[in-house]
Amino acid sequence: MTMIAANLQRVHERIAAVCAQAQRPASAVRLLAVSKTFGAADVQAAHAAGQRMFGENYVQEGVEKITLCRDLALQWHLIGPLQANKTRTVAAAFDWVESIDRLRIAQRLSEQRPETLPPLQVCLQVNADGGPNKSGVAPDELLALAREVAALPRLRLRGLMSIPEPGAAPEVYRRLRQLFDDTGARLREEGRIEGDRWDTLSLGMTADLEAAIAAGSTQVRVGTAIFGGRPAAAATSSPAPHPSRSA
Ligand SMILES: *Cc1c(COP(=O)(O)O)cnc(C)c1O
């Protein structure tokens, strides 16, 4: 068994343990493997161990890896900040974008999503705890943005993504689940989304997946516990040097 396969198994065990404790079925929580700063060989090792969903923070790095792994049936999520000049590339390469925090970006993605591909699956990123340099829409602006994004023809709005500050109180996680439920209920009442389309609360990473799942996360984004540690500069959301980028 590879190190990555063993790590994946341990992460699945963590998820199952907290689901059991919270009386949620283990199938209620999906695992997104965050492969940023790691190479295609690591993605392939995770795929060989059964992993299918991968997350990338940086557009260029992600697109290179998607190209290298195109023979595998994988689902790619962009989870990092997205600038307007990169939306065309993202709309053509990724399956999901979880980091939408303004209408202009969503409009461009909808316009630029190739007709040959299914709609782009998207989440709105919420700034949960008002941290100073955090991206994400403020909770009181969320519903207005959600209404507009739900109307875009080539996007499917699936839910929310958030990155609480390290060590955030359980209350922060519970508020996010409440916001997810309330927003979904409103959108459904207003006829803006159908059925179970609003099904994703992307919350929890290596250090806080237990807190997130206990509060009702439906998807955790885990990097370190699967692939190992990253250089310090890459641990934040600022673009990091990457071997394949300097080429
Ligand atoms: C890097 C990153 C993760 C994974 O973080 P780990 O602590 O390595 O599990 C999850 N979500 C986002 C948005 C990230 O940037």
Side-chain angles (χ1 to χ4, degrees):
M1 191 190 258
T2 65
M3 170 95 85
I4 287 174
N7 287 347
L8 271 167
Q9 188 175 316
R10 268 195 295 273
V11 171
H12 282 297
E13 284 164 8
R14 281 175 68 184
I15 293 171
V18 59
C19 280
Q21 218 166 32
Q23 297 183 308
R24 305 179 62 200
S27 61
V29 181
R30 285 169 292 149
L31 174 60
L32 183 73
V34 178
S35 44
K36 67 182 177 203
T37 79
F38 293 92
D42 291 324
V43 171
Q44 283 152 7
H47 170 267
Q51 181 64 30
R52 294 294 179 267
M53 297 165 49
F54 292 84
E56 288 288 330
N57 275 60
Y58 315 114
V59 173
Q60 202 48 48
E61 180 193 339
V63 168
E64 285 168 19
K65 233 173 282 179
I66 291 170
T67 305
L68 287 168
C69 297
R70 65 177 168 264
D71 292 340
L72 306 176
L74 304 179
Q75 188 186 85
W76 290 96
H77 295 221
L78 182 71
I79 59 174
L82 176 52
Q83 306 304 323
N85 63 0
K86 298 273 177 62
T87 52
R88 188 174 297 280
T89 307
V90 168
F94 282 83
D95 303 294
W96 284 62
V97 175
E98 300 193 11
S99 44
I100 291 187
D101 61 0
R102 55 196 192 278
L103 181 59
R104 186 74 197 112
I105 295 291
Q107 284 170 330
R108 290 176 65 94
L109 289 170
S110 181
E111 285 159 14
Q112 295 166 348
R113 179 69 168 173
E115 284 300 329
T116 51
L117 296 177
L120 186 65
Q121 312 295 306
V122 301
C123 291
L124 304 180
Q125 183 174 351
V126 188
N127 184 348
D129 37 21
N133 45 23
K134 296 282 291 292
S135 29
V137 61
D140 60 354
E141 292 164 10
L142 172 65
L143 184 60
L145 179 61
R147 285 173 172 143
E148 306 234 45
V149 172
L152 294 171
R154 298 288 293 146
L155 304 186
R156 282 268 185 292
L157 181 56
R158 299 291 295 268
L160 305 180
M161 186 271 263
S162 193
I163 314 171
E165 294 291 334
E171 180 55 26
V172 170
Y173 294 85
R174 283 197 293 269
R175 270 206 310 269
L176 280 163
R177 175 69 208 208
Q178 193 66 51
L179 193 62
F180 170 71
D181 289 338
D182 293 349
T183 308
R186 269 305 269 285
L187 294 173
R188 247 180 239 115
E189 261 167 42
E190 296 173 357
R192 297 175 199 272
I193 55 170
E194 292 152 28
D196 54 5
R197 229 176 81 177
W198 181 267
D199 61 358
T200 302
L201 177 60
S202 175
L203 183 63
M205 318 200 301
T206 291
D208 67 345
L209 70 86
E210 278 84 5
I213 292 171
S217 164
T218 73
Q219 180 193 281
V220 291
R221 308 176 308 268
V222 178
T224 307
I226 296 172
F227 296 107
R230 295 178 297 269
T236 67
S237 41
S238 59
H242 184 266
S244 58
R245 309 174 120 222
S246 49

